[in-house]
Amino acid sequence: MIRVENLSKYYGQGRERKTVLQAIGLHIAQGECVVLKGVSGSGKSTLLSLMAGLEKPSEGAVYIAGEPISKLPDLHQSKQRNRHIGFIFQAYNLFEDMSVYENLLAPLIPRKLPVKEVDRAVSKALEAANIAHKKHTVVRNLSGGEKQRCAIARALVNDPEVILCDEPTANLDKDNAALFTRQLQQLKGAGKTLLIATHDPLFETLSFVDRVVTIEQGRI
Amino acid sequence: MAGSFFHFLLLTLYKNRFFHATTLLMAAVLIFLLASGLFVVGSLQKQTFLNLAQQPEFVVRKLRGGRPVATDEQLLYALQEIRGVTAVRGRVHGRYDDPVFEDTGFELVGIDIFEPSLTRTLRKLTAREFEKLSPDQMLVSPAVKELLRQNYYESEYLFHRYEGGTMRMEIAGVIDRDYALQANDVMLLPMEKAREVLGLPYGTFTDIALEVPNELELDTIKQTILSRYANVEVIDKRKMAARYQTMYDMKSGVFLSLFTVVLLGFVLILYFKYSHVLSSAKREIGILRSLGWSINDLLRLKGFETLCVGSVAFMGGFIAAFIYVYGADAPLLGRIFLGYGELPVDYDFKPFFDPGLFAQLYLLFIIPFSAAVIVPVWRLCIIGAKEAMK
Ligand SMILES: Nc1ncnc2c1ncn2[C@@H]1O[C@H](COP(=O)(O)OP(=O)(O)O)[C@@H](O)[C@H]1O
Ligand SMILES: [Mg+2]
């Protein structure tokens, strides 16, 4: 489902050049749940954003569902990202002054669906993320855990095969973290391909995690 | 598509309502200023040329010692004989200063009350139905009427005759405001009475108006007059037209300074918009990109946004200017263009709407207005979503 080939990322030029990822190769099968483990600064977030095409690799390529997402022209790449990838950011990256419903609307707009289907997709994602009761609450007024559930709902609204999570438990208390792992298990049950970047040891103990990949100074 | 896209469009408009309201208001004010200027100038130009069209092709005056003097009837008859001249008219007019009104003079115009076409002319000139002028009646412009009224000349006015003594004239009516643009300080009185006040001997005129319908003959006729009579001056309507042209030209000083102010303001708005997108809208764009919005999707959203705001501002400013100039006769601004004469010009602006100009103005406005958003959005799109979200 996800294939990373010889992926490198540098920042800066010449003497200033800083290597963040070095010749990464990784294969994640459909329905697999992989934990990407590493200390802060090891390059986890960078790898995830390369996978989602949020920045361009310096070398190598990322394939999502067989498509070389890192090499596609914008229109095609955006479509690919929109349909196949749900991204749960560490900082959530929600529109704070919009309601939960309106936040979920955003990923659906490029699909140009009829209103009925939009509403159905939103309801389904809200149910799945357990946040339906806050549908019309403005995000700013949500608690940390609720914000994350909103972020999950938004990642699910287009029913993507791949879910990428960046430090999902970093901002959560113990109860909410436990709740999150249960939600992950449900997603796994639903056949999603999951990649979780984290330094939280919690994930190593989970039964449904298929594999733990360790990243260290940009190498796997 | 339409449903959720427009829902989201309204949301983002609402989210940034203070920013949008600010740019909308600023842009509307600028459009209002510019459109008001255009309306005033356009309307004045149109009116001036309408008035000019009624003017004779040539005006001939006699000179003595290089200065205009009274012109006698012989010249009138002689000019009538020139081929191509279809009508000649002796005119009596001139400046009259009343010692009572400091700094204010009147333009006296004599009218031939025995002329058959006069009734028709008067009808055109006066706001009120008016049949016939008797020898001791006169018509004045609205501004003159008001000035006289303030000095207790309610229904009649006392002239000082050139040869001494006074002459009482009844104020019989007020000429139409349209004619006041070129004749703001005018008094129309029977020709013989005008001669008495201005000191023109019986049977003489201030000048002679010639009508020449064939444009091709204008130059030869002018040459004929100049070569046949020494010491005459021929005033050409074409020259006057050129003078008026520069007076109310779009490139005139007043208009140019207005235009400069508007342009500077506009550049300011553009800069304001541009930097707002790069700062405040940056995160929003990054997030939408990360959710799978293509550059096209984003340009469409932001394009619609700015198009909505820009079009509302444009229409608002334009309509406000229309009402201001044609409804309220452009207080303040009209003053600047009409100038501060001795008497206030009470002018009624006639609607002047040029759809071509409107379209041009709209494009000249909306293209940079949109570009100030589209360009930074595009820039943010190509730096990548991760960078934009920071
Ligand atoms: N845009 C950037 N420019 C320069 N350096 C960057 C940039 N983004 C990330 N880095 C660097 O790359 C390294 C890896 O960052 P990151 O992927 O965020 O690590 P992690 O998520 O594992 O903590 C860090 O040292 C960070 O400073
Ligand atoms: Mg990170």
Side-chain angles (χ1 to χ4, degrees):
Chain A
M1 195 67 202
I2 308 175
R3 206 166 79 241
V4 177
E5 279 178 4
N6 190 33
L7 190 70
S8 297
K9 181 71 186 176
Y10 320 120
Y11 288 112
Q13 305 229 316
R15 276 163 173 251
E16 305 273 289
R17 195 169 99 158
K18 183 175 170 194
T19 305
V20 176
L21 293 177
Q22 181 81 61
I24 303 271
L26 184 65
H27 184 95
I28 299 172
Q30 181 157 10
E32 206 179 0
C33 178
V34 176
V35 168
L36 183 65
K37 199 183 133 204
V39 294
S40 185
S42 55
K44 305 181 295 293
S45 297
T46 305
L47 181 57
L48 254 55
S49 44
L50 285 170
M51 283 177 173
L54 304 185
E55 55 187 323
K56 289 209 176 320
S58 308
E59 275 165 37
V62 176
Y63 295 84
I64 301 279
E67 296 263 11
I69 187 151
S70 54
K71 292 180 178 165
L72 296 173
D74 172 70
L75 202 66
H76 205 151
Q77 187 197 68
S78 298
K79 195 171 164 179
Q80 199 70 9
R81 171 159 68 238
N82 184 248
R83 305 296 150 81
H84 300 294
I85 302 170
F87 206 125
I88 300 165
F89 297 96
Q90 181 173 2
Y92 308 136
N93 288 343
L94 297 165
F95 295 114
E96 293 279 327
D97 38 13
M98 290 189 187
S99 72
V100 172
Y101 170 76
E102 288 155 357
N103 266 278
L104 263 63
L105 213 52
L108 289 164
I109 288 165
R111 296 186 58 182
K112 304 179 170 74
L113 297 172
V115 178
K116 249 190 191 159
E117 282 186 48
V118 167
D119 284 339
R120 213 177 52 209
V122 170
S123 302
K124 207 175 143 202
L126 289 173
E127 290 297 330
N130 218 344
I131 186 81
H133 57 294
K134 296 281 181 181
K135 185 174 173 183
H136 295 296
T137 308
V138 176
V139 168
R140 195 188 301 109
N141 302 331
L142 295 177
S143 71
E146 287 165 343
K147 278 184 188 176
Q148 198 194 37
R149 273 175 267 154
C150 177
I152 296 171
R154 188 178 65 177
L156 292 177
V157 78
N158 268 332
D159 199 20
E161 294 95 326
V162 177
I163 307 276
L164 306 175
C165 313
D166 194 359
E167 310 277 9
T169 54
N171 302 321
L172 296 181
D173 56 39
K174 241 178 138 198
D175 293 343
N176 272 312
L179 194 70
F180 175 74
T181 57
R182 253 174 283 144
Q183 277 179 331
L184 269 188
Q185 188 160 19
Q186 276 171 16
L187 292 178
K188 160 104 174 151
K192 304 282 183 202
T193 308
L194 303 170
L195 178 60
I196 302 129
T198 184
H199 60 261
D200 191 340
L202 168 74
F203 287 92
E204 292 165 54
T205 62
L206 296 174
S207 59
F208 61 90
V209 171
D210 300 308
R211 195 150 50 110
V212 177
V213 176
T214 308
I215 182 166
E216 224 171 301
Q217 292 190 341
R219 289 167 202 270
I220 283 179
Chain B
M1 163 243 161
S4 36
F5 176 77
F6 285 108
H7 183 154
F8 205 76
L9 175 67
L10 289 179
L11 265 173
T12 54
L13 278 171
Y14 180 73
K15 226 177 70 161
N16 292 312
R17 60 194 175 281
F18 293 113
F19 166 74
H20 289 311
T22 313
T23 51
L24 191 143
L25 211 72
M26 293 199 305
V29 166
L30 293 184
I31 291 293
F32 168 77
L33 281 176
L34 189 66
S36 299
L38 285 172
F39 286 153
V40 166
V41 171
S43 180
L44 286 177
Q45 267 184 353
K46 202 171 119 185
Q47 191 61 49
T48 306
F49 281 94
L50 281 179
N51 289 352
L52 208 62
Q54 295 168 353
Q55 301 278 319
E57 275 72 29
F58 289 124
V59 171
V60 179
R61 302 198 285 200
K62 257 197 163 163
L63 301 177
R64 176 165 292 157
R67 299 197 166 267
V69 289
T71 308
D72 49 60
E73 271 177 322
Q74 278 89 317
L75 181 60
L76 182 93
Y77 297 132
L79 291 173
Q80 197 152 31
E81 298 306 315
I82 295 174
R83 237 131 97 69
V85 176
T86 55
V88 291
R89 197 153 38 82
R91 305 195 305 184
V92 172
H93 57 93
R95 196 101 195 128
Y96 172 72
D97 286 301
D98 186 327
V100 174
F101 307 108
E102 284 170 35
D103 307 328
T104 306
F106 303 111
E107 183 70 18
L108 264 48
V109 176
I111 45 182
D112 191 347
I113 55 171
F114 302 112
E115 198 188 320
S117 65
L118 180 70
T119 315
R120 213 175 56 230
T121 318
L122 285 181
R123 277 251 173 77
K124 266 207 280 188
L125 280 178
T126 51
R128 181 151 71 92
E129 279 298 304
F130 202 86
E131 277 303 328
K132 210 168 162 59
L133 210 58
S134 74
D136 54 355
Q137 286 182 322
M138 68 168 176
L139 301 173
V140 296
S141 75
V144 170
K145 169 83 182 169
E146 178 57 23
L147 183 73
L148 294 182
R149 199 192 57 71
Q150 280 168 9
N151 289 277
Y152 310 106
Y153 291 114
E154 291 283 351
S155 60
E156 52 182 30
Y157 175 64
L158 216 58
F159 282 101
H160 295 265
R161 296 162 74 238
Y162 190 81
E163 305 285 357
T166 56
M167 184 179 86
R168 191 174 296 275
M169 294 294 286
E170 188 191 331
I171 303 164
V174 173
I175 63 165
D176 203 274
R177 293 210 291 165
D178 285 354
Y179 293 91
L181 179 60
Q182 258 108 68
N184 188 43
D185 50 0
V186 81
M187 288 172 154
L188 300 176
L189 56 169
M191 201 171 265
E192 204 43 53
K193 299 284 181 170
R195 284 198 182 102
E196 276 182 50
V197 175
L198 296 171
L200 288 170
Y202 179 79
T204 63
F205 304 104
T206 311
D207 53 31
I208 298 164
L210 305 191
E211 267 163 46
V212 180
N214 188 348
E215 262 182 54
L216 298 172
E217 291 176 2
L218 287 174
D219 286 323
T220 32
I221 288 171
K222 191 173 172 180
Q223 282 312 313
T224 310
I225 298 169
L226 287 174
S227 60
R228 209 177 278 178
Y229 305 97
N231 286 316
V232 297
E233 183 186 14
V234 178
I235 299 158
D236 195 327
K237 179 163 112 176
R238 292 170 292 180
K239 286 237 178 73
M240 274 166 51
R243 220 184 61 223
Y244 281 128
Q245 176 80 55
T246 48
M247 213 161 110
Y248 298 127
D249 195 0
M250 303 280 178
K251 291 189 281 301
S252 72
V254 178
F255 196 79
L256 216 63
S257 38
L258 179 75
F259 192 70
T260 312
V261 168
V262 168
L263 204 70
L264 280 178
F266 193 48
V267 168
L268 217 74
I269 295 180
L270 294 187
Y271 178 75
F272 180 50
K273 275 175 83 82
Y274 190 89
S275 52
H276 176 266
V277 173
L278 282 187
S279 56
S280 309
K282 187 169 176 253
R283 207 176 101 89
E284 175 189 323
I285 289 166
I287 293 174
L288 290 176
R289 289 284 283 155
S290 79
L291 297 176
W293 283 51
S294 66
I295 296 180
N296 285 355
D297 291 327
L298 262 167
L299 289 182
R300 206 176 52 201
L301 178 77
K302 292 290 160 188
F304 261 106
E305 235 179 71
T306 183
L307 215 64
C308 284
V309 174
S311 300
V312 168
F314 188 84
M315 287 311 293
F318 212 83
I319 290 169
F322 204 87
I323 294 170
Y324 167 73
V325 175
Y326 300 128
D329 284 330
L332 290 173
L333 190 70
R335 199 53 327 115
I336 294 169
F337 280 99
L338 291 169
Y340 294 85
E342 290 162 345
L343 290 174
V345 181
D346 181 15
Y347 182 61
D348 183 18
F349 288 98
K350 289 280 170 301
F352 152 84
F353 178 76
D354 180 352
L357 183 72
F358 177 85
Q360 258 179 31
L361 213 64
Y362 180 71
L363 288 180
L364 275 177
F365 165 73
I366 206 77
I367 291 174
F369 196 77
S370 308
V373 168
I374 296 299
V375 172
V377 166
W378 190 77
R379 266 182 60 187
L380 287 176
C381 281
I382 57 171
I383 62 168
K386 188 188 169 191
E387 192 65 30
M389 274 187 295
K390 276 208 286 201

